[in-house]
Amino acid sequence: MTLQPPFTFAFQPIVRVTSGEIVSFEALVRGLNGESAAQVLGRVDPLDRHKLDLQLRREAIQLASVLGGPCHLNLNLMPRSLAIAPEAISSTLAMAAHCGMPPDHITLEITENEIIDDPREFSEQINSYRASGVRLAIDDFGAGYAGLNLLAEFQPDAIKLDMTLVRGIESRGPRQAIVRGIHRTCLDLGIDVIAEGVETEAEYWWFRQEGVELFQGYLFARPGLRQMPMAFYPTQS
C-alpha cells in the first residue's frame, strides 16, 4: 500500500440558522474523482494513517485558502497523532498562519470512538492549543460509550450529534429523550450542539423546536468537491 494515495477535499458548510450564516466548513478527504474517505484511507497501511493525518490537515488548509480565503475550518484529528507526532497541531497552525488563517478559525474534531490512550495527557496537550483560540469538537457524539466521559474530561467547545440519533428523530421518542438530555447538559456546560446529517425538514424542525441553532447535512448543502457550496435554509410553511 502507498503511504500517500491521491486525495483532495470536499467542503460541507456548518450553518447557524438563526442568523442565516455559514459558521464553518468541514474539510472531508476524498479521492480525486470523489471517492469516499474510507476508500482513500483504505489504501494506507493502518500504521501509517497517523502520518497521513498530519498532512491532510495542512493540505485542507491550503486548498480552503485558495477556494474561500481565510474562512473557518473544521479539521479531523486522530488523537494518537499527538503521541506519534507531538507537532501534529503546531504544524497545522503554522500552515494556517502561512495562509492567513488565525487559530480561532480552526476547529479540531475528534470522534467519540477514537481511542485515547492517555486522556489526561491528551487533555493537557489539546488545552495548551485551545488557549491560543483553537476550538475542539467531538464528532459522532452518541455513537459509542465514551461520550459523557469525554464531556467530563475535555469539555469541548462543540459536539456533533451522531447521525444515528438524528435520523427520523421526529418520530422516535427514545432518541428524542436522549438528545434532550444531551442538549440540556451541553447548555449547562456552555457547549455548542450541532445536529449533523440532517436530511429532512421534519428532522430539522424537531431540532429547531428544541432550540438547536447549528446544523450540517444534505438538507442545507451536500459536500462540494474542491468547492465551498452555498447553503439552503428551510423556511416555515
Side-chain angles (χ1 to χ4, degrees):
M1 293 186 183
T2 179
L3 173 59
Q4 297 181 352
F7 64 83
T8 186
F9 294 90
F11 296 90
Q12 187 176 31
I14 300 169
V15 302
R16 185 181 300 278
V17 295
T18 49
S19 59
E21 64 178 326
I22 294 174
V23 298
S24 188
F25 287 90
E26 181 178 2
L28 303 162
V29 64
R30 293 288 186 267
L32 297 183
N33 297 310
E35 297 91 343
S36 70
Q39 289 174 293
V40 174
L41 296 177
R43 302 181 190 129
V44 182
D45 189 291
L47 296 176
D48 291 324
R49 287 180 185 172
H50 293 87
K51 299 176 184 177
L52 181 62
D53 175 60
L54 186 152
Q55 181 187 354
L56 290 176
R57 285 190 300 279
R58 295 195 302 240
E59 296 283 348
I61 291 169
Q62 282 187 306
L63 180 56
S65 67
V66 171
L67 295 174
C71 59
H72 290 253
L73 276 184
N74 278 47
L75 303 168
N76 292 300
L77 169 71
M78 295 180 178
R80 283 185 174 177
S81 295
L82 290 175
I84 296 172
E87 74 279 8
I89 298 178
S90 61
S91 66
T92 299
L93 296 182
M95 178 58 72
H98 176 74
C99 294
M101 189 179 296
D104 61 2
H105 281 40
I106 298 291
T107 297
L108 299 174
E109 294 190 12
I110 63 170
T111 64
E112 181 183 331
N113 289 323
E114 174 77 25
I115 297 173
I116 299 174
D117 295 322
D118 189 337
R120 186 180 298 276
E121 181 180 0
F122 176 79
S123 180
E124 291 175 356
Q125 288 177 307
I126 201 74
N127 284 337
S128 67
Y129 291 103
R130 291 174 75 188
S132 69
V134 175
R135 290 168 53 84
L136 175 68
I138 299 177
D139 196 10
D140 301 331
F141 191 89
Y145 303 99
L148 293 178
N149 286 335
L150 286 172
L151 285 188
E153 189 70 36
F154 303 128
Q155 296 181 12
D157 299 286
I159 66 164
K160 300 174 79 172
L161 294 171
D162 186 67
M163 287 186 285
T164 58
L165 289 175
V166 171
R167 191 65 60 245
I169 193 170
E170 74 281 357
S171 61
R172 304 296 179 89
R175 292 184 192 177
Q176 294 174 6
I178 292 168
V179 169
R180 285 192 184 105
I182 293 172
H183 191 210
R184 282 196 296 268
T185 299
C186 288
L187 285 175
D188 289 343
L189 293 173
I191 298 170
D192 289 332
V193 173
I194 302 169
E196 184 179 26
V198 174
E199 295 184 353
T200 70
E201 293 203 15
E203 292 167 352
Y204 167 72
W205 286 114
W206 187 88
F207 280 105
R208 282 299 297 125
Q209 290 168 0
E210 295 299 316
V212 174
E213 299 182 2
L214 295 166
F215 291 86
Q216 181 180 358
Y218 283 4
L219 180 63
F220 307 91
R222 290 177 177 268
L225 189 65
R226 293 185 290 273
Q227 60 179 295
M228 293 181 160
M230 301 292 289
F232 162 82
Y233 297 90
T235 57
Q236 183 88 50
S237 59

